[in-house]
Amino acid sequence: DGTSNKIRLLEQSPALEGQFSHFVESTDWQAVTQSHQEKTEQDVLRALSKDKLDVDDFAALISPAAEPYLLEMVAKSERLTLQRFGNTLSLFAPLYLSNTCANECTYCGFSMSNAIKRLTLNETQVGKEVAAIKSKGFDHILLVTGETNKVSMPYFERMIPLIKPHFSQLSMEVQPLDASEYKQLQGIGLDGVLVYQETYRRKTYLEHHLRGNKSNFNYRLDAPDRIGQAGIHKIGLGVLLGLEDWRTDSVMMAHHLRHLQKRYWRSRFSVAFPRIRPCEGGIVPKSIISDRQLVQLIAAWRLFDRDLEMSLSTRESPEFRHHAVRMGFTTMSAESKTQPGGYADDSQEALEQFEISDERPVAEIMAMIREQGREVVWKDWDPALSHV
Ligand code: SF4
């Protein structure tokens, strides 16, 4: 049938000229690793003195050679963020619609072979979740699902029109789709799509994505190109820090961002920094990024791109989030539930994707943000108002 044909096509996804998969196929991973390993103090000082940074400067800023300059980087990152975004931060809530999944990802509690209770919310349950999220004040929602036929286009086409009228911004983090499908969803209210590549190294990617459509490396890698071609307002990138050398993956993501910015200049871009968290069948990270290194990475991203939206999730501890608020972030999740139905009924922890680390209620998060001299805005920052 149509679905199996699509799956067969997906399995063959070649690296396409002009798409990012082509860049990745023709780029030697070891050479990229060497490019940040060989950076010197001079490279770091040059990057720090520039206004417009290239990927090579970014590699210098995340290299060990930049570690003595951490305070300077953080101060500059804070200054640039304030100049560009003002002293505001917007909050969003992830809405987990389904934890069914036909994929096997080594780091995820929703993996097909995990014997957990599965739930896909119906219209009534979605209505209850929306009411619970709205009652906390959120105006920006991120829809999250596992990846199965059950939660594909027909389901999204039913749910988005129910949810969108209640929020000014609606983004999705679901299975990668075709450009025409993104376009279709944009017509019914989709504003942004996040597709995290997890790792840019094919070999490691295949070791962690064992079964299902997600094991099609190129189809996922080219999803941001398809989102851009569909003219979606916001495109989100991310790697799962810890699967591979975090520096090499970050340099590859910086290349990915520049590739997309050149082609889809009407879209806005966001990046996120998830670190591997404990989950069902948890794995040991291959490369551990310390808190200090994560701070360096965040500051380097802000210096690399002052227009970039940067998102901090509840995966991080309250202490880390407390200190990170001022650094360069523009959005943050709060009081997240990672199990479907969790906002209206949080007694179902067995359904959750991963344990969150910062479980504080929204009011406490807002107080913490204000303590850091920032204001919470419930709507997305609007560049058109930046001069007001
Ligand atoms: Fe499914 Fe996504 Fe989890 Fe993989 S990471 S098992 S695709 S929900």
Side-chain angles (χ1 to χ4, degrees), residues 182-371:
Y182 286 127
K183 189 89 206 150
Q184 226 168 308
L185 296 182
Q186 186 187 38
I188 56 172
L190 178 64
D191 300 297
V193 184
L194 318 183
V195 182
Y196 296 162
Q197 185 56 35
E198 322 298 10
T199 174
Y200 286 91
R201 189 178 199 184
R202 175 190 284 275
K203 176 175 167 290
T204 309
Y205 184 93
L206 295 177
E207 283 165 15
H208 289 283
H209 302 96
L210 305 171
R211 253 196 307 175
N213 286 349
K214 196 167 175 179
S215 53
N216 190 329
F217 181 72
N218 283 355
Y219 187 68
R220 191 169 190 90
L221 196 53
D222 289 335
D225 274 293
R226 298 193 298 276
I227 300 164
Q229 286 154 11
I232 300 280
H233 185 52
K234 187 158 84 181
I235 304 174
L237 305 178
V239 286
L240 186 54
L241 297 170
L243 282 188
E244 247 306 333
D245 180 314
W246 65 266
R247 289 191 178 91
T248 311
D249 256 338
S250 299
V251 173
M252 291 300 281
M253 192 160 87
H255 279 295
H256 201 175
L257 178 71
R258 287 292 186 252
H259 163 95
L260 296 167
Q261 285 174 326
K262 266 187 225 149
R263 289 163 179 79
Y264 316 108
W265 50 273
R266 283 173 199 277
S267 295
R268 286 157 64 189
F269 296 90
S270 69
V271 292
F273 315 90
R275 287 194 276 190
I276 291 177
R277 295 274 312 151
C279 72
E280 294 272 333
I283 54 156
V284 180
K286 178 169 176 181
S287 95
I288 294 184
I289 175 165
S290 67
D291 283 0
R292 200 180 156 84
Q293 289 167 331
L294 183 56
V295 167
Q296 184 185 353
L297 178 64
I298 293 162
W301 273 110
R302 175 53 71 223
L303 268 54
F304 179 56
D305 198 305
R306 51 192 68 186
D307 296 329
L308 198 58
E309 292 190 15
M310 288 168 44
S311 179
L312 181 60
S313 92
T314 45
R315 283 172 181 251
E316 295 301 337
S317 68
E319 296 73 34
F320 188 87
R321 279 160 54 98
H322 185 92
H323 293 295
V325 159
R326 296 161 64 98
M327 283 188 40
F329 289 104
T330 55
T331 61
M332 201 172 180
S333 53
E335 216 180 324
S336 301
K337 302 292 177 194
T338 67
Q339 69 272 37
Y343 291 98
D345 171 12
D346 67 359
S347 62
Q348 311 236 35
E349 281 187 4
L351 299 175
E352 71 188 2
Q353 187 184 28
F354 55 83
E355 294 164 25
I356 64 167
S357 188
D358 188 350
E359 299 188 0
R360 292 172 296 172
V362 174
E364 256 182 67
I365 302 277
M366 286 174 69
M368 178 272 284
I369 291 170
R370 289 202 179 110
E371 244 172 63

Side-chain angles (χ1 to χ4, degrees), residues 100-105 107-112 145-147 198 209 214 353:
T100 58
C101 194
N103 289 333
E104 194 69 38
C105 307
Y107 48 83
C108 178
F110 288 175
S111 283
M112 191 165 123
T145 68
E147 302 191 4
E198 322 298 10
H209 302 96
K214 196 167 175 179
Q353 187 184 28

